[in-house]
Amino acid sequence: MARSLPPEDAARLAGRDVVAVERRGKYQLLYLTGELVLVVHFRMAGDWYAGPAGDAPRHARAVLEFTDRTAVFLVDTRAFATLTVRDRGAEGLPALGPDAASPSLDGGTMARRLAGRRGPIKPVLLDQAVLAGLGNIYAAEALWGARISPYTTASALPIADLDRLVEAIRATIDVARHDPRRYSRGEALGRLAVYGRAGEPCVRCGVAVERAVQAGRSTYFCPGCQTDPTGPPEPARVVNPKLRGVRL
């Protein structure tokens, strides 16, 4: 893993019971007896797999074994995930913005978080201090759902657009909650509207999906129905003739 668990920290976990599990943004917190917390960050490709102890799957980076001979394995093909043992109340998390899945999130909250942010909206959405829990794929999908260009200046978005963006974020996360397959392993790419679909027709308007790089990350978007009201007018685009006139 990107950060190995020191042997002395692993020893502190022995004999503890897991009493609660909580998510904060992209972090998972496992609360243990003895006032300890195991802080997990899955990064891009990490995930837990349950199975019999001693039967580790490929790319297992860590294992938690239980007294009933079952285990959960932290599987990560890229070995970027991290595990950290902390005392309860001293989890050491960075400053996080409101949770992207919070029912209380609304356009007004987003406007306050984006105030003064003059960069394009897509990279800003990945800043966990602005909004916690949103990753690269979800950000691209939510912007498509809200019909917002990834190049739109973050602070220039009106409340109506931000309300629409919040609803799109919520819908994107809700779909993922009901389907545990991971995008990072290519298992669920079929349900994505734009991510990974460069050159394919947009399922909403038929214009070809484009790929760009923003802040070192891939951005997928439809230039036909994700327009930037803060930038110059978009040039005319050719709609896929097979979808012309199709009601979407």
Side-chain angles (χ1 to χ4, degrees):
M1 294 190 301
R3 181 190 302 166
S4 298
L5 191 65
E8 58 271 22
D9 280 349
R12 295 177 72 193
L13 300 179
R16 310 286 184 181
D17 294 331
V18 178
V19 296
V21 179
E22 179 186 357
R23 183 185 62 80
R24 294 188 195 172
K26 292 187 173 185
Y27 292 87
Q28 185 181 71
L29 307 180
L30 279 67
Y31 291 96
L32 311 173
T33 52
E35 297 298 304
L36 293 183
V37 184
L38 181 62
V39 181
V40 187
H41 196 309
F42 298 107
R43 302 295 175 182
M44 297 177 67
D47 205 355
W48 291 117
Y49 280 76
D55 188 18
R58 188 182 181 191
H59 302 303
R61 309 296 177 180
V63 57
L64 301 180
E65 293 188 0
F66 301 99
T67 53
D68 63 356
R69 298 298 299 160
T70 61
V72 289
F73 303 91
L74 179 57
V75 175
D76 183 5
T77 56
R78 299 192 178 192
F80 290 160
T82 61
L83 293 176
T84 309
V85 178
R86 302 283 188 182
D87 293 318
R88 189 159 189 166
E91 288 83 359
L93 301 185
L96 298 173
D99 196 283
S102 172
S104 64
L105 185 67
D106 58 19
T109 302
M110 288 294 293
R112 291 188 290 275
R113 305 302 299 181
L114 299 176
R117 300 300 294 257
R118 298 181 180 179
I121 183 63
K122 166 68 183 330
V124 172
L125 287 178
L126 301 184
D127 184 344
Q128 300 300 295
V130 173
L131 188 66
L134 204 62
N136 192 46
I137 295 175
Y138 287 5
E141 290 293 298
L143 287 170
W144 178 85
R147 296 175 179 259
I148 295 172
S149 167
Y151 294 105
T152 302
T153 301
S155 59
L157 283 163
I159 290 292
D161 285 2
L162 293 175
D163 281 333
R164 199 166 63 247
L165 177 58
V166 168
E167 289 304 312
I169 290 172
R170 194 167 286 133
T172 300
I173 293 175
D174 190 58
V175 169
R177 280 176 169 171
H178 290 86
D179 188 338
R181 294 176 298 169
R182 291 296 298 265
Y183 297 121
S184 57
R185 291 193 295 269
E187 298 170 348
L189 293 177
R191 71 169 183 249
L192 300 178
V194 287
Y195 194 89
R197 295 186 177 277
E200 298 180 21
C202 171
V203 297
R204 184 165 55 206
C205 74
V207 171
V209 172
E210 294 185 3
R211 176 187 177 274
V213 177
Q214 292 181 290
R217 305 297 300 275
S218 293
T219 292
Y220 293 86
F221 67 103
C222 173
C225 57
Q226 287 178 259
T227 56
D228 179 4
T230 67
E234 287 283 343
R237 308 267 179 170
V238 177
V239 175
N240 185 322
K242 293 182 179 180
L243 294 179
R244 192 183 300 276
V246 176
R247 186 174 183 179
L248 299 172

